[in-house]
Amino acid sequence: MLTLKTLSRLVQQRPSYSWARIPAPQLIPSFRMSSLEEPVRIDSFSKLNSTGRLSRLSSDSSRKRFDERSSAQDLAREGDCSCSPMDVSFLESCMHTCLWAGVISDEYVVGSVSWRKEVHDRNGISSSCMRPLSCCRSYQLLPSGKREIWTLPERHYSSLSEETEIRQLTQKLLRGTPKFVKIVEVGPRDGLQNEKSTVPTNVKIELIKRLAASGLQVVEATSFVSPKWVPQLADAKDVMDGIKSVAGTRLPVLTPNLKGFHAAIDAGAKEVAVFASASESFSKSNINCTIEESLCRYKEILNAAKRLSVPVRGYVSCVVGCPVEGPISPSSIAYVAKELYDMGCYEISLGDTIGVGTPGTVVPMLDAVMSVVPVEKLAVHFHDTYGQSLANIFVSLQMGISIIDSSISGLGGCPYAKGATGNVATEDVVYLLHGLGVKTNVDLGKLLSAADFICKHLGRQSGSKAGIALSRGIRDHSKM
């Protein structure tokens, strides 16, 4: 506990201490949060004072923080300081001096950075602000033996600052971000197709029902592909029979060719999806044909779908890189996306199949595609191989994308893309969006329940960081 005696001794005997750097927890004890945290909503920052903003973003956010409007009298009154009432005025004076004082004889500004000149004693310590010489950029020795030093002053947040500054910053950072995002859940198809062991049909059906109950508008159910190529989805017809009672959620299925399309329609599918690759090598290894040959196949499917009034979604894979060819030109991706859109696909999903994308490569790709396909018709589909999926999603949101593909618990991969790991986890995406103040109509609690269900069956931990943290918080809270 910080006492007046300790404070005085440090001022007199330990000049190397910088009082502006005394961590707040030494002044005020910590406390345990009594409920599960909600995502930090950026659009609500303007309603918080500066202390609230700092504490919400701090890695030690469960601790109270020093509020510059709080006085030493408040601290003494709350019992957090052992000073007697008669010593309070001295403590306030020390706090003010330690936090704000400095010997300033000159100042100049470079851009948004203000440099100050301070005169220090032989030990390299300013007599008033106790700033160590190691904190300084450069200095020169004066005839008096003191040092003249140019420094960057400590930054302090003031709760008296204009709230409009925070609002303007929020608007600048989130400019272009949609108010609502549609999430397309691909776990039951893209997630489970890469499992080594076959998941029982009844488990797939129950997973789809739980995902639909969480509020997800679209859940990709299965794929009508040859069991020879994807044995994990050989029960596509049985899965469709089991989810006929699911209402209020669209349940598209993947159809790689006309035969698969007719099989899907016979099984009761109301919506289908086709996929093409922006990489010739990947197209040949994945669907055994060139890009142009695949586009010809999909024209047949689109024509058949139009006759039956069945909506078709289009996928483009390898939109950033290919496991064989390496980086893919944005113009190649734009070409394939435009071809699918012109055929009649109502929506185009851009997939980073092997997860090599970063904001630096995703932005030019999106810019190229957005020049030929309306942004409201585009979705993004990121794999998290290098941990870049959420960053890529955030920059996509800033560019106006309002449709995101994701997979429960980060399940997935691609059987034909070596090194590709799971998709971005739906729980992480929902947590991010809710934190940004973006609506999804998804109940995160029910989503966690669905994730727990499938992970227990697969016998492994969730691939969602938010899911793990939130589930642990729920368990810890239940023990309190």
Side-chain angles (χ1 to χ4, degrees), residues 105-163:
S105 58
D106 201 356
E107 181 175 353
Y108 71 95
V109 178
V110 178
S112 60
V113 180
S114 176
W115 286 83
R116 295 180 180 180
K117 183 171 68 176
E118 299 178 1
V119 178
H120 293 242
D121 61 22
R122 293 171 184 258
N123 295 323
I125 305 298
S126 171
S127 59
S128 59
C129 71
M130 300 301 179
R131 184 192 301 276
L133 183 59
S134 61
C135 297
C136 306
R137 174 64 64 87
S138 60
Y139 70 92
Q140 63 177 352
L141 191 64
L142 301 177
S144 62
K146 294 187 176 182
R147 291 182 171 92
E148 182 182 85
I149 303 169
W150 287 101
T151 66
L152 281 171
E154 298 283 350
R155 294 297 184 94
H156 298 277
Y157 287 90
S158 173
S159 59
L160 303 179
S161 62
E162 293 293 337
E163 298 294 345

Side-chain angles (χ1 to χ4, degrees), residues 178-198:
K179 295 181 179 180
F180 176 84
V181 165
K182 180 179 72 176
I183 295 178
V184 177
E185 171 61 51
V186 299
R189 195 276 302 175
D190 196 18
L192 298 181
Q193 72 174 4
N194 206 43
E195 290 298 314
K196 294 181 180 180
S197 59
T198 303

Side-chain angles (χ1 to χ4, degrees), residues 65-140:
R65 296 287 175 174
F66 177 74
D67 188 334
E68 62 270 22
R69 291 183 299 179
S70 300
S71 64
Q73 294 165 330
D74 296 326
L75 298 178
R77 181 167 54 252
E78 293 178 9
D80 293 320
C81 177
S82 61
C83 297
S84 63
M86 63 184 301
D87 294 327
V88 165
S89 60
F90 172 73
L91 180 56
E92 285 183 329
S93 176
C94 286
M95 284 183 175
H96 181 77
T97 300
C98 294
L99 291 171
W100 298 104
V103 179
I104 305 172
S105 58
D106 201 356
E107 181 175 353
Y108 71 95
V109 178
V110 178
S112 60
V113 180
S114 176
W115 286 83
R116 295 180 180 180
K117 183 171 68 176
E118 299 178 1
V119 178
H120 293 242
D121 61 22
R122 293 171 184 258
N123 295 323
I125 305 298
S126 171
S127 59
S128 59
C129 71
M130 300 301 179
R131 184 192 301 276
L133 183 59
S134 61
C135 297
C136 306
R137 174 64 64 87
S138 60
Y139 70 92
Q140 63 177 352

Side-chain angles (χ1 to χ4, degrees), residues 205 208-209 212 239-249 251:
I205 293 171
I208 293 171
K209 289 181 177 179
V239 169
M240 294 303 294
D241 288 338
I243 59 176
K244 286 181 178 179
S245 62
V246 177
T249 300
L251 303 168

Side-chain angles (χ1 to χ4, degrees), residues 358-359 362-363 366 390-401:
T358 67
V362 168
V363 169
L366 287 177
L390 289 181
N392 292 335
I393 286 173
F394 185 71
V395 76
S396 299
L397 293 171
Q398 290 178 309
M399 295 185 72
I401 299 295

